[in-house]
Amino acid sequence: MVDSVADVALSTVVFSLYNNVKALLNDSRRNSQNGVLRWSLQKTLEAHPSCSASLIQMLLKELDQKRMRASKNHTKGSYTHVIPVLHTLYYAVIQSGVMIPTSVYQMVYECLMKLLILPSPYSAVAVSTLRSIRMEMTTPGSLYQRTVTTEQNLKKEPFTLKEKVFVLADPAVFSAPLEAAVRAHLEVSSSFPRDTSTMEKNVVLRVLQIGLGTTCHSARLAQALEAQEHMVEKYFQEVVLAVEKSLHGAGGRADYLKKLQHIYRDILTVSKEGTKLDHGSACSTSMPFPEINFLLWKDEEDLWTLLANFVASSRNSASVDDEEDKRDSVHSEDSGIQRDLKDSDFDDTEKSPVKSPVTAFTRRNAFKASMKPSDQMSLLREKINTFLGHSTVITEDTRHHTARVVVLGDDRALGRLARAYCSIRERESKHLILTKKLNLRLYYIPVPDVEPSLSSADSPCQDEGRLSLASILGRVDPWYNSNINSLGPVISQLAETQSNHSEPAERNLFLLDSLCYYLRCGTQLVHLPLYSVKMTRSRRGVVEEVFVSHLEADIPEFRHLKEKFSKERSARRKKSTVVFGAIISVTYTKMSLSKREVVKGKAPMTCGVVITSEPAAVTSGEDHLTVRFDSVNPQHNTAIQTQNISFRTMEHRTLSVCLDRDSRRTYNDVQRVEISPCLDPGCSVRSRFSVSQEREQLFSKYVDKVLSLPINTFTGE
């Protein structure tokens, strides 16, 4: 009777999962609903781990149907559902707390092999999922063990791989109440048990339970481990060693399971005899949350400091080189680096808290040792790996630590991240501190500014349209759009709902669960191109900057004319059409096969220039800039596409330039602006040592010298 009741309950859960999967893949569903449906599916599986095999079979059926349908249509849109199914499949495997039959894994393997013929980036995600499935086929429990051990920074031999999650919120978007609300939601993770012994015990329980299946008595094993707390670390190290040996091809699945069986018998044998068993004791099937470090990103230098401190704290022992790295990371006088630009380089009307980017540092007359060839190659290898977008789950170098940096905000936040990332590459090209020891992974969660700040009357920045990069990422990756772009409104409303104590506690985990899902499954990269900006200012020399999404420049003295003309009726505007003459001289490289330079001698009555970045991931072509010239006379408004452009004012007039819609990055009294793709400082080390012609060709083929901001997504580009 009990079995029949249990079977009915199980079939009800399976039917619920089936409806959930169907709803998740329904084209008529809104994106925000998909994020909640994915989370609901995840929570259901956590509560009923025995349904893992059934869910995987459902997903395989859906995946096969989508593949067959896509093979007939041969359109990019027909592959859209492949990504959600693959990531849901991967998460079902990693969440499963029970053994999945080998026959099911074989079906998954055969299905995924058929997806390798899909176009990029779908084939890349299929390859990543296939590698994970092969790991679980030969070494059951390895995905869980590696993920938890790394996220929780558990000490294991012979490897000491560690991870840390930094969540940086832009103060321009996060008010004090919103900051407190988001901090409270994310720091819920710290309220869960995080002691090393408990984590190690859960890993041992989970791996043995998944590997041994029904032959493992979970309740008895859990109680035996409770009685031998002083031995938990020993068993944990044995499990880790068994996993690593199996993954590196020592013995295969049979030897691995034999080793797990030996560990299992050893635990039960050593435990005290005659202990009363508690059949309710079992391994928790939910993945523990990683530790979240949440902070307001007030100073761009904070990112470098966080990464340098993480590397320093991860070293087992101090050495002379370590001390030198730490000294250089904080820019002591011994490093030969000193600040050059002052706050006065910014707008006179408001002292900006943001420090100048790459150009904020210059060398004094100090001895500069040349980089070792191994250090130079480390920078190039990092560039190649980023360009190819390797999955961090499988191909991660075990000698490295991983810093996962999540940025919360709008385009302004990504603008700050671009400057900080460029600064890091610049420093690494002079003295290698982070690259050999740290894998840096960048994530972005767009959060709208619910209370847009009023732009200064002297600033060209506009408050609207500050989520353009989020829109680009959403178009490239619909699954990112469903699960990450939809978090923005949820986060913005947290300050209002924080005081609502009637809200279920489980609902408070939605943001944290979604963040963890993004960190674990967002392994593919979208590259946002960066552009270098060289501004010549009257009386203040040259300032070099970088932007990722938007540049806006205008002549302040003509703003009132533009406003006046825009308010007039079209009929009267036609009568009052007057061309006053040349105001801005423009030079740009035309987007054509010839790449010929086009020189414009004048831009009649131009009062502003608006430049937006168009990544190749969206245009299906080359990265380029769309440049729009705004004239007081609307008939003279023009737009061009280019990768390089320079313009200067005439008649002693000056420009006001705003970068990435951030009023904190506004420069006045600009006479000339030169824009070009930003070159990666890490690639310039090639010129410091001789290379053969063959290596030169190999370098040019696989290394893109242009610097881009690599944002982790689910699909990539």
Side-chain angles (χ1 to χ4, degrees), residues 21-85:
V21 170
K22 283 293 186 182
L24 189 64
L25 303 178
N26 190 345
D27 291 323
S28 64
R29 292 282 181 180
R30 286 177 11 197
N31 288 328
S32 58
Q33 293 176 322
N34 283 340
V36 175
L37 286 170
R38 190 270 314 154
W39 181 67
S40 176
L41 185 67
Q42 173 185 334
K43 304 306 286 187
T44 303
L45 190 60
E46 286 182 5
H48 305 279
S50 57
C51 298
S52 299
S54 299
L55 175 60
I56 291 174
Q57 289 175 326
M58 292 179 204
L59 294 172
L60 285 180
K61 184 178 179 181
E62 291 292 331
L63 194 59
D64 198 52
Q65 291 178 353
K66 301 298 181 185
R67 181 184 61 81
M68 294 294 293
R69 192 177 305 170
S71 62
K72 296 179 180 179
N73 297 334
H74 296 290
T75 60
K76 186 175 181 180
S78 60
Y79 302 112
T80 303
H81 291 307
V82 170
I83 300 300
V85 175

Side-chain angles (χ1 to χ4, degrees), residues 147-441:
T147 302
V148 174
T149 302
T150 303
E151 288 183 352
Q152 304 302 325
N153 295 322
L154 301 179
K155 184 179 179 181
K156 57 188 184 301
E157 299 296 341
F159 307 107
T160 56
L161 182 64
K162 292 185 178 181
E163 283 190 5
K164 206 158 190 177
V165 179
F166 302 100
V167 178
L168 307 182
D170 188 354
V173 173
F174 281 75
S175 61
L178 182 58
E179 176 204 351
V182 174
R183 185 186 299 275
H185 276 68
L186 294 182
E187 291 183 350
V188 168
S189 61
S190 61
S191 64
F192 290 87
R194 196 176 293 281
D195 61 283
T196 302
S197 179
T198 300
M199 293 295 178
E200 292 177 344
K201 188 190 311 175
N202 286 341
V203 170
V204 174
L205 282 165
R206 182 72 166 264
V207 173
L208 293 180
Q209 184 173 313
I210 295 175
L212 301 180
T214 55
T215 62
C216 174
H217 300 281
S218 301
R220 186 178 177 187
L221 179 62
Q223 192 168 11
L225 286 173
E226 287 286 348
Q228 309 174 58
E229 284 209 30
H230 62 287
M231 298 289 289
V232 169
E233 183 177 355
K234 170 182 175 293
Y235 297 132
F236 169 75
Q237 297 293 349
E238 290 180 357
V239 167
V240 170
L241 190 59
V243 169
E244 294 300 329
K245 282 186 175 181
S246 178
L247 291 178
H248 289 84
R253 178 184 174 93
D255 287 351
Y256 169 72
L257 295 181
K258 188 182 298 183
K259 179 61 178 176
L260 292 189
Q261 187 69 42
H262 174 77
I263 297 173
Y264 175 69
R265 286 198 303 265
D266 190 22
I267 295 173
L268 296 186
T269 302
V270 177
S271 63
K272 296 180 180 179
E273 297 292 336
T275 307
K276 183 179 179 181
L277 296 180
D278 178 10
H279 293 283
S281 301
C283 169
S284 173
T285 59
S286 60
M287 296 270 297
F289 296 113
E291 183 180 355
I292 307 294
N293 300 271
F294 178 85
L295 67 153
L296 281 182
W297 195 10
K298 297 180 180 179
D299 191 335
E300 289 177 17
E301 293 297 314
D302 290 344
L303 179 56
W304 172 266
T305 303
L306 289 171
L307 298 179
N309 288 341
F310 175 43
V311 169
S313 64
S314 301
R315 299 188 181 106
N316 293 327
S317 60
S319 65
V320 176
D321 292 338
D322 294 341
E323 292 301 321
E324 290 179 357
D325 288 351
K326 187 174 182 180
R327 181 190 63 202
D328 288 343
S329 69
V330 296
H331 307 289
S332 71
E333 291 184 355
D334 292 337
S335 66
I337 300 175
Q338 63 181 5
R339 294 195 176 278
D340 182 33
L341 296 181
K342 311 297 182 183
D343 289 334
S344 60
D345 287 327
F346 286 85
D347 188 2
D348 296 332
T349 60
E350 181 179 358
K351 190 172 182 179
S352 173
V354 181
K355 295 178 178 60
S356 190
V358 177
T359 55
F361 301 95
T362 184
R363 303 286 313 183
R364 293 184 321 208
N365 294 327
F367 174 74
K368 177 184 175 183
S370 60
M371 293 184 70
K372 300 176 182 178
S374 59
D375 290 350
Q376 294 171 332
M377 292 309 299
S378 294
L379 276 175
L380 300 183
R381 191 180 301 112
E382 176 77 7
K383 179 70 175 179
I384 294 173
N385 289 340
T386 303
F387 179 73
L388 296 178
H390 287 309
S391 169
T392 59
V393 177
I394 306 301
T395 62
E396 198 72 64
D397 187 343
T398 54
R399 295 172 299 176
H400 284 58
H401 303 302
T402 299
R404 305 192 183 276
V405 178
V406 185
V407 175
L408 305 182
D410 50 27
D411 288 350
R412 293 171 293 180
L414 278 183
R416 303 185 78 195
L417 180 61
R419 296 211 309 174
Y421 182 68
C422 190
S423 177
I424 289 173
R425 294 293 291 180
E426 176 71 21
R427 297 182 194 184
E428 291 294 283
S429 69
K430 293 182 174 65
H431 185 93
L432 210 60
I433 297 175
L434 303 179
T435 303
K436 291 194 300 183
K437 309 174 182 70
L438 187 69
N439 290 297
L440 178 60
R441 300 291 177 252

Side-chain angles (χ1 to χ4, degrees), residues 437-509:
K437 309 174 182 70
L438 187 69
N439 290 297
L440 178 60
R441 300 291 177 252
L442 304 177
Y443 304 80
Y444 172 52
I445 298 180
V447 180
D449 189 356
V450 293
E451 297 180 357
S453 58
L454 296 177
S455 298
S456 169
D458 296 328
S459 171
C461 296
Q462 301 295 323
D463 287 321
E464 61 271 8
R466 283 181 173 159
L467 293 176
S468 62
L469 292 177
S471 176
I472 287 174
L473 293 174
R475 279 185 285 163
V476 174
D477 184 355
W479 196 232
Y480 176 93
N481 199 42
S482 298
N483 290 278
I484 307 304
N485 274 348
S486 60
L487 288 179
V490 175
I491 294 175
S492 298
Q493 297 170 4
L494 285 181
E496 300 177 5
T497 60
Q498 181 70 17
S499 58
N500 185 8
H501 300 291
S502 61
E503 188 178 4
E506 188 180 67
R507 178 65 181 176
N508 291 336
L509 297 178

